[in-house]
Amino acid sequence: HCHKKSRAYLNPWVAGYRQKKGWADTAKDRSADELSHWTRSTLSYAKDFSEGKIAPVWVADGKGGLEHVCGFGQDFVWFKYPLQGNFSVEWETPGNNNNFADVAYNDLRITPRADSQFWYLTAGSSNRYGYMRSKVVSEEWNRCKYVVDDEHFSIFLNDTLVYQEPRSSEAAWFGVHAYGSRTSRIRGLAFEGSPEIPNQLDLIPTKGLRGWTAGYFGGATPSPGFSTEHREKEANKPTFYRDEIDRESVDQLSWTVNEERELVSGRQKNYGHQNQNVIQYQRPICDGDTLSYEFFYEEGKTEVSPSIGRVAYVLRPAGLQLHWMNAGSTSWKIPAAYEVPVPGVEPKPLPLKSGEWNQMELVRDGDTLKMKLNGETIFQQQPRSRLGDMVFGLFHYRDQSSARVRNIVLTGNWPEQLPEDLFDFDSEE
């Protein structure tokens, strides 16, 4: 299979093997899975999951350095707690074009590219904004800084203000990102100021759909609302790499937010297996988290079901069904709408209320996830997620129904203040 793909397809496997055997420079570091205050996730296309690519490996030095050894798709290490208030964060990323990593906050990431000395800004999985020349340093480390104050969210590159927008804390998650095929790293990650950790977070944003992605099936979401008011004076004119789509353009979108702040399915046309439609939240459900939401249900017309990783937990009146959200353009010949009962569990009718808003609650306890529908437990097992990262999503068949969801709220066992040592490991070696 690897031979048919290309030699480059083997690179992540080789990198993972070298690290495991202690040959790579990362051998002295520990797995980022052992960090007390961080968690990882992977977001990618359905086709990438179907091909069985190597699971991501991140390592940490315990001093603000993180390295992405291998993986696939969009690989993240997330700080577990949402950050609001006034604060700044700094880090360094190498000038070597093949080793850069970037950092996300409010669903924005700045990436310096040393090969042509420009930087770009990314929101979600595909929305990219403008570039400037002359401020990216080749063959050295580039200094990056995010600053959140009373009025703005500002981004600095090598001490130059390169981007600024009005302050927003809707997608208040901080994370380190790398593309799966790259061995990437950052160092010197450090916070300053007084960030606030709320006791809950509303996950339906008012600007675009920051924090969410429909990339699993290549779906389009609204423009993230980049600001063009500030750019470095010597830079060339900002360039948009993807056409802006406002959230009212329902025919061009797979998901959007309406005036009532409901997350609703759009009418973007897809075919074959892509009549499946899912939107995923980038930061996964962590141990101790509770995610709750309301969805409108009318059988055959308005339906939506939770998903974890690549498995949808389809809500049927006769009982819960599992569906592998699969791609059609692979060697896996799974029918587009194939569903099976939960293994080892006797099917029972679900307490769905037709023509009404229904309440769903997901509670994670260790590796176990409990799903409660209108107060009744309908699932309590370890989700069948190959990567184990519990990325949450909302799924429906776009050719059969629409979807409406509101009041999506996440709470967790979050501290009131920033931990003193952000890079503690769960146990000493």
Side-chain angles (χ1 to χ4, degrees), residues 121-155:
L121 196 66
T122 306
S125 58
S126 59
N127 298 278
R128 288 184 178 178
Y129 160 80
Y131 59 83
M132 56 170 283
R133 299 188 182 275
S134 79
K135 295 302 178 183
V136 180
V137 181
S138 300
E139 309 305 329
E140 296 181 22
W141 290 80
N142 288 271
R143 299 183 307 280
C144 303
K145 185 176 183 179
Y146 292 166
V147 178
V148 183
D149 59 30
D150 289 337
E151 298 182 357
H152 298 106
F153 170 46
S154 306
I155 300 178

Side-chain angles (χ1 to χ4, degrees), residues 162-392:
V162 295
Y163 179 80
Q164 191 172 74
E165 68 177 23
R167 174 185 176 141
S168 171
S169 298
E170 294 176 328
W173 304 106
F174 181 87
V176 181
H177 165 270
Y179 293 99
S181 60
R182 296 181 182 273
T183 300
S184 313
R185 55 182 171 155
I186 67 167
R187 72 180 185 186
L189 187 62
F191 289 86
E192 292 184 359
S194 304
E196 301 169 0
I197 301 176
N199 55 21
Q200 66 177 34
L201 199 65
D202 183 348
L203 301 191
I204 298 185
T206 57
K207 180 185 291 186
L209 267 176
R210 291 196 183 179
W212 296 86
T213 176
Y216 192 87
F217 289 116
T221 52
S223 161
F226 288 122
S227 171
T228 58
E229 294 182 2
H230 180 89
R231 63 186 176 92
E232 201 275 322
K233 293 180 180 179
E234 299 176 0
N236 57 310
K237 184 179 179 180
T239 301
F240 287 84
Y241 290 81
R242 204 198 86 174
D243 291 337
E244 295 283 276
I245 306 176
D246 63 49
R247 68 189 203 186
E248 286 75 32
S249 302
V250 179
D251 288 337
Q252 302 177 53
L253 299 168
S254 57
W255 294 87
T256 188
V257 177
N258 64 19
E259 294 181 354
E260 288 76 33
R261 293 199 69 230
E262 296 173 2
L263 179 58
V264 298
S265 58
R267 293 191 290 271
Q268 183 187 25
K269 294 181 180 180
N270 291 91
Y271 303 95
H273 281 43
Q274 291 191 2
N275 282 328
Q276 303 164 94
N277 189 24
V278 69
I279 188 167
Q280 296 172 308
Y281 200 67
Q282 295 180 12
R283 187 271 198 184
I285 300 175
C286 296
D287 187 16
D289 286 353
T290 296
L291 188 146
S292 63
Y293 63 92
E294 295 176 310
F295 66 96
F296 194 82
Y297 177 76
E298 191 173 5
E299 187 176 358
K301 295 182 179 180
T302 309
E303 300 180 358
V304 68
S305 301
S307 68
I308 299 294
R310 59 183 177 175
V311 176
Y313 296 77
V314 183
L315 305 176
R316 300 296 188 194
L320 189 67
Q321 299 280 301
L322 303 189
H323 166 67
W324 183 358
M325 301 184 296
N326 54 319
S329 56
T330 70
S331 57
W332 292 88
K333 304 302 181 183
I334 300 174
Y338 185 70
E339 298 176 5
V340 297
V342 180
V345 177
E346 187 70 24
K348 64 178 181 179
L350 299 184
L352 288 163
K353 300 177 182 178
S354 185
E356 300 182 34
W357 288 95
N358 290 251
Q359 178 73 33
M360 176 66 75
E361 184 178 84
L362 286 74
V363 182
R364 179 173 176 180
D365 182 6
D367 292 332
T368 298
L369 190 70
K370 178 190 291 186
M371 298 183 186
K372 297 176 70 175
L373 174 60
N374 294 322
E376 181 178 320
T377 299
I378 62 171
F379 178 88
Q380 189 169 2
Q381 288 186 13
Q382 181 175 345
R384 297 173 182 273
S385 172
R386 181 171 68 91
L387 302 179
D389 55 16
M390 295 205 192
V391 170
F392 164 78

Side-chain angles (χ1 to χ4, degrees), residues 15 18-19 23-30 59-60 67-69 183:
R18 292 184 65 201
Q19 191 276 333
W23 297 342
D25 292 338
T26 57
K28 62 182 179 299
D29 299 328
R30 295 177 62 177
V59 294
E67 183 156 356
H68 177 261
V69 177
T183 300

Side-chain angles (χ1 to χ4, degrees), residues 94-113:
N96 184 335
N97 183 52
N98 292 320
N99 290 82
F100 68 84
D102 45 34
V103 168
Y105 181 73
N106 200 27
D107 200 17
L108 293 180
R109 309 192 309 269
I110 184 172
T111 307
R113 291 291 299 268

